[in-house]
Amino acid sequence: MRILVTGGLGFIGSSVIRKLISETNHEVINLDKVSYASTYGSVQQVSNDPRYQFIKCDLADPSATNEAIQSCKPQAVLHLAAESHVDRSIDGPGAFVEANIIGTFNLLQAVRSVELSKFVHVSTDEVFGSLSLDDPQFTEDTPYDPRSPYSASKAASDHLARAWGETFGVPVTVTNCSNNYGAFQFPEKMIPLMIIKAISGEPLPIYGRGENIRDWLYVEDHAAALIEVLLNGSVGSTYAIGGDNEKTNLDMVQLLCSIIDERRNSSKFSDSIVHNKPCEELIEFVEDRPGHDLRYAIDSSKIQNELSWKPTILPEFGLELTVDWYLQNSEWWQPLLEERSATKRAGTLGS
Ligand code: NAD
């Protein structure tokens, strides 16, 4: 099958592409506009494969999008391209309307002219709003209640995707996933930002009191779920995807600190860790993000029962893999930090 992956130079899209090329026989077309969040390094290990093709295209441009679809005639689509950083959506919401709403609209219009088996629209649990501590987890039936420009733009794109399914017969399936972490995540998001600051001995800024809860999922588990939905999910359905692993931001940062403190004693990593005191001493609580949702949590029983997918990596182990990856791959993230400090400022903390 010829699978179009949009946003494939980003964090999750590149994980999906690495998996599709290395574990299946499908062809992959990676369509990305190449934004600040894109890196060619994230697909380097598969980019010489004859089944991989790259198209540079901004989905906000309708004629470029049409041309791209006509040139590659995909048989299935995994749509991940989006502006994804909540802090940036507060600083500049227009880019989110453009990429997430207009971009999705243009793509949905363009694919009406090709024969698709599936259009997987990749969304977030943030569209459901904020849970209190004793609310039940989000399910596929939770009403939408987005509260940030990011989640509102994703919610709008989910509605467009479902409407194009009902009205124009585009074979849409929507996924709503919880927070991801893992290798190749842009270093403005919380997990990589904290790792990089902790190893450099810089303060670890945590919003509010660090009490916000997220349901953390290792990125490769998300990629596996998306491929499963693409190949075996029902058209017209929604799948909620989560790690069943609720942790506060403070829990996550404390876990990272203890992993880094432990790695400091290993000859393999000690040279990469400049800071030589317990990392927890670096934690600083800073003014909260406006409209900061308290808790997200996903009940993923539907995808577990229907498609036999389940998360395989517990956060304690996933965070070890992630810390080790950032320790061993500074040549990937260092230039991104330098570029960012040259263009200053983007978000300081991620979700
Ligand atoms: P990312 O910011 O790392 O990557 C997004 C990619 O999309 C970038 O390469 C960017 O260049 C591309 N892109 C953006 N606008 C585009 C446009 N107009 N045309 C073409 N390409 C464009 O994001 P991510 O974290 O990999 O997230 C991917 C998707 O998964 C998003 O739709 C996001 O809403 C969703 N999601 C993310 C998470 C998470 O924790 N990161 C959780 C649930 C869902």
Side-chain angles (χ1 to χ4, degrees), residues 285-306:
F285 294 107
V286 299
E287 191 187 339
D288 211 349
R289 163 199 282 165
H292 200 175
D293 291 340
L294 176 64
R295 174 177 167 242
Y296 307 136
I298 288 272
D299 173 351
S300 60
S301 22
K302 176 175 171 187
I303 186 170
Q304 299 208 26
N305 294 334
E306 271 187 29

Side-chain angles (χ1 to χ4, degrees), residues 200-253:
S200 321
E202 291 177 36
L204 305 179
I206 301 186
Y207 278 138
R209 302 299 303 166
E211 287 160 344
N212 304 73
I213 295 171
R214 301 293 180 261
D215 177 355
W216 293 93
L217 180 68
Y218 192 57
V219 65
E220 290 181 23
D221 278 331
H222 187 192
L226 293 177
I227 294 170
E228 198 52 49
V229 169
L230 181 85
L231 300 178
N232 300 312
S234 317
V235 170
S237 228
T238 298
Y239 294 95
I241 305 169
D244 204 11
N245 245 305
E246 293 182 45
K247 291 215 182 306
T248 66
N249 286 347
L250 184 58
D251 290 337
M252 289 297 274
V253 175

Side-chain angles (χ1 to χ4, degrees), residues 17 38 44 83 88 117 136 157-158 186 192 210 232 254 257 267 341:
I17 289 176
S38 310
Q44 196 176 10
E83 287 289 335
R88 284 181 185 259
S117 62
S157 70
D158 296 7
F186 196 78
N232 300 312
Q254 285 173 328
C257 286
S267 56
S341 62

Side-chain angles (χ1 to χ4, degrees), residues 124-138:
T124 163
D125 60 358
E126 304 196 22
V127 297
F128 300 126
S130 185
L131 295 170
S132 63
L133 294 181
D134 48 7
D135 279 336
Q137 298 163 309
F138 299 131

Side-chain angles (χ1 to χ4, degrees), residues 160-175:
L160 290 176
R162 290 195 179 95
W164 262 242
E166 293 294 331
T167 309
F168 302 113
V170 177
V172 167
T173 303
V174 176
T175 62

Side-chain angles (χ1 to χ4, degrees), residues 11-12 32-33 35 38 58-59 80 84 123 150 154 180:
F11 169 48
I12 303 171
D32 200 297
K33 81 171 190 185
S35 70
S38 310
D58 183 347
L59 294 174
L80 293 103
S84 69
S123 189
Y150 165 65
K154 289 297 293 184
N180 286 211

